[in-house]
Amino acid sequence: MRKALITFAPCPMPYAPCPMLHIRKKNMKAKHPMTITEKILAAHAGKKRVCPGELLNVRIDLTLANDITAPLAIKAFNEIGAKKVFHRDRVVLVPDHFTPAKDILSAEQCQVLRKFAKSQHLTHFFEIGQCGIEHALLPEKGLVLPGEVAVGADSHTCTYGALGAFSTGVGSTDLGAAMATGRLWFKVPESIQFIYYGKINPWVSGKDLILFTIGAIGVDGALYQAMEFCGETIQRLSMASRLTMANMAIEAGAKNGIIEPDEITLQFIQPRAKRPFRIYQSDKEAHYAGVKEYNTSKIHPQVALPHLPSKVKDVREIGKTEIDQVIIGSCTNGHLDDLRVAAKILKGRKIAPSLRLIIIPATQEIYRQALKEGFLDIFLLAGAVISPPTCGPCLGGHMGVLAEGERALATTNRNFRGRMGHVQSEVYLSGPAVAAASAVKGRICHPEEVVKKG
Amino acid sequence: MKLKGRIWKFGSDVDTDAIISARYLNQSDPKVLAKHVMEDERPEFPQKVRKGDMLLAEKNFGCGSSREHAPLALKAAGISCIVAKSFARIFYRNGLNLGLPLLESSEASEMIREGDQIRVNLTTGEIFNLTQKKKFFAKPIPTFMQELIKDGGLIRHLRKSSRLPEKKRF
Ligand code: SF4
């Protein structure tokens, strides 16, 4: 007979003895080396040093919720018995998922946000017309700054790690508590270092690097951990590409993704910041749970196949895959840079007659700039439809939901079964260059098949 | 704290879109959510699930979005506990915040079969398979989290500890 099995499964939030202990013992005067994530959390918990696994009561600089998650968060806020938010400038509400309201129920959810914003005198409630997809909007408005702690009732809140902030997604109940108290408990995550070096191939952007990385480590490859992106390639990467990479850290299960601020960060943030901020950097001797190195000269445009963001292939290995719809947008790739790449490919060309192309500038400002730079005209002439800023089809909400058996290529971040509509539809993920080129061809292709030289 | 229930078995990387599709997220009524919970994964699930049933999954259960509607829908459908090899981070936090017990055990995840009757002791982490007469151990839930589950989630726990009058949540 089989004996009863005794097993101690790993704790979902494992406590590890501080890896720095031996260094401190050797030289008591030595500094306690920490990663950027550890430093930010320590500073917000009023501590000099923290170790992975430690439970902290963390001061929150900013909370965020959207039209799906805020109603539950507000409910939690009221049920706690809270009367006032912790800071009216630091509680941000962005109705972006089903807006402009797609039906009565969505309109009622937005109403909950609107009323709460009014009664709490919130500074940052973004009505449509000033709105945009939250994770593109907040950096654009300078609402999250380097060195800060931001939590949002949306899993892609990890996007702001691109600015050198600690930011992570939480549920509505946690967010309700954070809105009331300005604090939340966190376990300090272990960090993994991702080092990228080498030249960047034509048509490759941050999206290809992060898809490649998720393909390499899997959808739980960084579960509960911090993904720290660094190396010479990252230092050359635009802010838009960095935001894309940090945005998809959650797709590897990570608690947060983070990039040390540098010149590019400061150029982006300085004109937008309305309050002082602090730059943190990882110490050279900081401890990492793992180090991964990738030579980017070997990374070509990537595509994730249904139904996981980790089912990644080089676009040249995809084979003939015809598509019904292409979507360029979302918090991952709805930035001006993304539209610029798409415009470069679509200029003077027409999309395949068998296919629909939907382009969604992520914010009002991006929309306006795209108009000014002539991108929208290029898209319209190519046969695209342009949506107002919204999450829309990214989560199968509206503005391009898929029918049974349809196949889409999207610059979004998730391709779970049924994510964009019917449970029998398929979503492929790519960067904007592959998406635009594939719209012209009617099948998934390398941009070089459409444009000769990048 | 002991729970008993029948097992529904799922695979790896069950995402929050599979638990509750975004097409139902234009509202947050737990009863409505429960009617559609897991329907894309197992169409018969919402009709056949009974109060007290438990879920068993492989790795990374609840990956994807932060929607608390996912654990809320499962709880409203009567699910009393979830056992998995591992949970996605936000789902884990949300589950416990809502008072839904989550246990991690690789062996249990591999050995327990669909339809088995299970008894779970949240204090010790003991998982006893009444059908197969086998015992497994998951890491016990920390005491303060057990309190939280017993009180019915973070909010009720906060209210109780601050001695505020109990208010009906859902
Ligand atoms: S664009 Fe998609 S992934 Fe981003 S916040 Fe909206 S729904 Fe979520």
Side-chain angles (χ1 to χ4, degrees), chain A residues 32-226:
Chain A
H32 175 86
M34 289 193 287
T35 65
I36 174 169
T37 298
E38 290 156 11
K39 284 185 184 177
I40 297 173
L41 287 174
H44 283 75
K47 295 192 151 210
K48 281 222 167 60
R49 53 183 58 164
V50 297
C51 301
E54 207 174 319
L55 262 181
L56 299 178
N57 186 359
V58 176
R59 184 171 53 75
I60 306 290
D61 292 305
L62 195 96
T63 73
L64 162 74
N66 57 51
D67 48 327
I68 291 182
T69 58
L72 281 179
I74 293 167
K75 202 168 169 186
F77 176 90
N78 291 330
E79 279 159 8
I80 293 168
K83 292 277 169 290
K84 258 176 86 181
V85 295
F86 78 102
H87 195 315
R88 70 183 195 97
D89 296 341
R90 306 293 184 96
V91 173
V92 182
L93 295 180
V94 185
D96 57 353
H97 279 59
F98 296 147
T99 53
K102 73 165 178 129
D103 55 18
I104 296 167
L105 289 172
S106 316
E108 284 170 352
Q109 300 215 106
C110 294
Q111 217 169 38
V112 175
L113 275 68
R114 204 171 287 129
K115 280 188 186 151
F116 185 78
K118 203 163 168 219
S119 67
Q120 293 286 332
H121 307 288
L122 300 188
T123 321
H124 303 297
F125 168 68
F126 295 95
E127 192 54 86
I128 57 162
Q130 311 135 39
C131 198
I133 303 173
E134 47 195 345
H135 309 308
L137 188 72
L138 267 55
E140 181 186 290
K141 300 272 182 205
L143 290 177
V144 185
L145 302 175
E148 294 194 332
V149 171
V151 295
D154 190 279
S155 59
H156 291 103
T157 304
C158 54
T159 308
Y160 319 128
L163 303 165
F166 173 86
S167 63
T168 192
V170 294
S172 292
T173 300
D174 267 330
L175 198 87
M179 289 198 306
T181 62
R183 291 194 163 267
L184 215 53
W185 68 266
F186 281 112
K187 207 157 235 191
V188 180
E190 293 181 308
S191 295
I192 314 181
Q193 200 175 28
F194 292 85
I195 306 172
Y196 300 83
Y197 66 91
K199 78 169 178 63
I200 306 175
N201 285 313
W203 304 111
V204 166
S205 67
K207 180 63 163 285
D208 304 292
L209 301 187
I210 191 67
L211 281 178
F212 181 88
T213 308
I214 296 164
I217 67 170
V219 285
D220 58 352
L223 196 59
Y224 300 108
Q225 291 169 310

Side-chain angles (χ1 to χ4, degrees), chain A residues 66 68 96-97 133-135 154-156 247 251 329-332 390-396 412-414 419, chain B residues 65 67:
Chain A
N66 57 51
I68 291 182
D96 57 353
H97 279 59
I133 303 173
E134 47 195 345
H135 309 308
D154 190 279
S155 59
H156 291 103
N247 175 272
E251 263 60 69
S330 85
C331 60
T332 315
T390 179
C391 293
C394 171
L395 78 163
T412 56
N413 45 41
R414 287 191 178 134
R419 170 81 178 173
Chain B
S65 108
R67 61 186 72 154

